[in-house]
Amino acid sequence: MFDIASCLSGHDPDALPVPVARQAIARLLPAPPAAESVPLRESLGRVLAEDIVSGLQVPPQDNAAMDGYALRGTDLAGEGPTRLTIAGTSLAGDQPAAELPPGHCRRIMTGAAMPDGLDTVVPQEFVQRDDTQGCIVIPAGVLKPGANRRLAGEDLALGEVALRAGRRLAPADLGLMASLGKAEVPVRRRLRVAILATGDELRPVGTTPLPPGCIYDSNRHTMWAMLQRLGVCEVLDHGVVADDPAALRAAFTRAAAEADVVISSGGVSVGEADHTKAVMAELGEVLFWKLAMRPGRPLAIGRIGEALLFGLPGNPVAVMVSFYAFVREALLALAGATPAPLPLLRARLTSPLRKKAGRTEYQRGIVGRAADGGGWQVEITGSQGSGVLSSMSRANGLLVLDHAAGDLPAGAEVDVIPFEGLI
Ligand code: AMP
Ligand code: MG
C-alpha cells in the first residue's frame, strides 16, 4: 500500500492538500466484492454488477400514444377533409388487429397495439363522428402520417445495453428493469463496514445519569446514518471503546476480521498522546495524515489485515466532513460503483467570509434561491466550530472553499454540495 507515497511526495506532510489525499486513497482500494442476485425491489440504491442487456423491444409492438382512431397515413386526403369508416375497437392488451381495407380506420385506446398496416393515430378530439354512417371525418391539416404512434423498441432496442455495470440503481432503473421483465438483479454484495467510537469520555446513549466529565457518543450514530444513506453498506456496530490499549487492540482486531472497511472516530489528532494511533500502527499499515483542511485535519488511513481503515477525527463536524470529503467516494468505488462527482451548486455569498488560503474549508450553509431571481445564494449557519454539530443539522449544504482561495467578499460565488439526496 505504501506505493501511494509517490502520490504524496513533494507535498508538505503537515498540510497535505485534499485533492492529493483523495487521489492517494483511490490507489489504496482493493477489488469490489462479489456479485449476488437480489429481487428487483431490493436492488434500489445497490451497485449493478453486470450490464443489463435488453432481451426484448420496449415497447414490444407499435402502439397508440393517444385515444383516437388508427388509420393508414396514405389514406389522409392531400387537401380537404378525410372520411373513414370505423371498423372495430382496439383496447390496451388486445392482440394486434388484422389489416383493414383502405378507407377504414379503427377506434384505438392509448397503449393498444396498432392494427397491422396502420401507422397513424388521429386523436379523438380532432374528429367529427358520423354515427349514422359509422364514419369519422378528419379536417384537413390536423395531422401527418405516422403521428401519435409509439414505435416498437423506441425506449429500448433488442440487444441494447439498458444499464451499465457500476450504476447505483435509482427508481427509474427499477422501472426500466421491470419493463424488461427482470425479477432478479445482479448487484455487488454490500460492503461490510465496522464502526467504532474511541474515547474515555464517551458514553453510549441510554446511559443515565451522564457521569461528570463525560459526553454522549454522537459520532457512531452520525456514521451509522451516513453509511445507511450510502445504500451500499451493511453496518456492523462495534460500540464505544475506551482509550485503553488492550480494549482498542481487541476492538480493532475483531472489527477488521469481520469487515471490509473499519471506520473509527477519535484519537487520531495531531500530537495526541492517547493509544488509538499506537494500536492502529501496531495492528496494520497505517498512515497518519495531517490534511490542509478545516474541519478535519487529522486522518488515519491504511489497512488492518484485509480491511481498509479510516481513522476519522473525533470532533462531530470533522467526522461528517471527512466522511464526505474522503470516505464516501472511496466506499462507493470499493463497492464497485462507477465514480460520479457530487453535483455542486454555484451560489453567491450573502455576507463576506473569512477563509485561509492554503487549505480546503468546508463551511455549513443554508442555500436558497436569491430574491432577485438571480440563481442561488448561500448564508453560513452560525458558529463553524468543528464540535458544533447543530451547524450541520441546520444547514442544507456544505460550502467547499477551494485550497487556494483567501477571504471572500459578499456576492462571491462558491461551490456548495447540497445535502438533498446525500444526507
Ligand atoms: P479526539 O479526536 O479524540 O481528540 O476528539 C476531539 C473532540 O471530539 C473531543 O472534544 C472529543 O470529546 C470529541 N469526540 C470524540 N469522539 C466523539 C464521539 N464519538 N461523539 C461525540 N464527540 C466526540
Ligand atoms: Mg479522544
Side-chain angles (χ1 to χ4, degrees):
M1 76 167 258
F2 288 103
D3 64 339
I4 62 169
S6 62
C7 278
L8 309 177
S9 70
H11 293 283
D12 180 356
D14 280 331
L16 198 59
V18 168
V20 175
R22 289 158 78 109
Q23 282 166 21
I25 292 171
R27 294 178 60 169
L28 262 179
L29 306 177
E36 64 185 8
S37 182
V38 297
L40 179 63
R41 287 191 180 175
E42 284 175 31
S43 73
L44 182 63
R46 304 284 297 273
V47 177
L48 191 61
E50 294 164 21
D51 289 353
I52 299 288
V53 177
S54 177
L56 55 135
Q57 303 194 92
V58 179
Q61 58 266 311
D62 291 1
N63 66 92
M66 304 280 278
D67 293 336
Y69 298 84
L71 54 97
R72 199 178 277 100
T74 50
D75 277 349
L76 288 169
E79 281 171 24
T82 304
R83 192 177 183 85
L84 299 170
T85 304
I86 304 167
T89 300
S90 287
L91 301 177
D94 289 352
Q95 290 203 3
E99 192 155 356
L100 305 176
H104 284 69
C105 66
R106 188 172 171 91
R107 181 105 175 94
I108 195 162
M109 298 299 151
T110 304
M114 292 294 286
D116 290 345
L118 305 190
D119 57 10
T120 305
V121 174
V122 57
Q124 58 195 25
E125 50 275 27
F126 286 4
V127 309
Q128 284 149 20
R129 262 184 87 121
D130 178 349
D131 283 333
T132 53
Q133 303 284 315
C135 286
I136 57 167
V137 178
I138 307 168
V142 296
L143 85 164
K144 295 202 173 90
N148 304 311
R149 171 188 50 160
R150 301 176 185 143
L151 293 173
E154 72 174 22
D155 189 355
L156 292 171
L158 182 67
E160 180 180 342
V161 176
L163 296 167
R164 293 256 171 224
R167 193 178 167 81
R168 288 165 72 206
L169 296 167
D173 303 332
L174 267 64
L176 201 62
M177 291 187 286
S179 71
L180 291 172
K182 293 232 164 268
E184 296 277 321
V185 179
V187 295
R188 295 277 170 202
R189 172 177 64 69
R190 284 200 164 97
L191 291 177
R192 283 188 286 264
V193 181
I195 54 173
L196 52 94
T198 71
D200 280 339
E201 74 280 33
L202 304 177
R203 292 294 175 275
V205 292
T207 310
T208 44
L210 187 64
C214 290
I215 58 171
Y216 286 117
D217 159 34
S218 63
N219 288 344
R220 220 163 21 100
H221 302 285
T222 340
M223 292 194 288
W224 176 88
M226 292 188 294
L227 289 164
Q228 290 295 337
R229 276 291 160 93
L230 220 48
V232 299
C233 305
E234 178 193 341
V235 186
L236 312 167
D237 191 341
H238 284 257
V240 170
V241 186
D243 196 16
D244 160 74
L248 287 165
R249 209 175 281 125
F252 277 105
T253 305
R254 219 179 327 112
E258 68 174 47
D260 302 302
V261 182
V262 177
I263 306 178
S264 65
S265 83
V268 294
S269 296
V270 183
E272 188 143 4
D274 70 6
H275 302 291
T276 311
K277 285 163 83 173
V279 167
M280 286 177 176
E282 170 198 322
L283 295 178
E285 290 181 292
V286 183
L287 298 171
F288 297 95
W289 282 345
K290 295 174 199 164
L291 296 158
M293 68 186 283
R294 184 192 171 99
R297 186 159 142 74
L299 184 78
I301 171 85
R303 289 223 180 94
I304 296 180
E306 294 295 299
L308 193 63
L309 170 75
F310 289 97
L312 306 184
N315 276 307
V317 180
V319 165
M320 295 193 75
V321 167
S322 309
F323 183 90
Y324 288 115
F326 304 109
V327 183
R328 176 184 178 277
E329 190 175 82
L331 292 182
L332 289 174
L334 191 58
T338 306
L342 283 173
L344 292 174
L345 294 179
R346 291 288 285 170
R348 280 181 291 137
L349 292 173
T350 54
S351 328
L353 207 70
R354 297 200 68 81
K355 157 77 174 62
K356 205 164 135 187
R359 69 184 185 197
T360 306
E361 288 188 20
Y362 298 86
Q363 301 213 8
R364 281 72 75 201
I366 297 174
V367 66
R369 298 299 285 182
D372 61 7
W376 297 103
Q377 65 176 29
V378 63
E379 103 189 64
I380 300 304
T381 56
S383 165
Q384 296 289 302
S386 62
V388 182
L389 193 54
S390 55
S391 71
M392 198 80 190
S393 175
R394 278 191 212 111
N396 67 359
L398 199 58
L399 285 75
V400 184
L401 306 174
D402 190 63
H403 186 89
D407 289 345
L408 294 161
E413 282 210 328
V414 295
D415 284 332
V416 182
I417 303 171
F419 288 164
E420 189 58 42
L422 174 74
I423 280 191

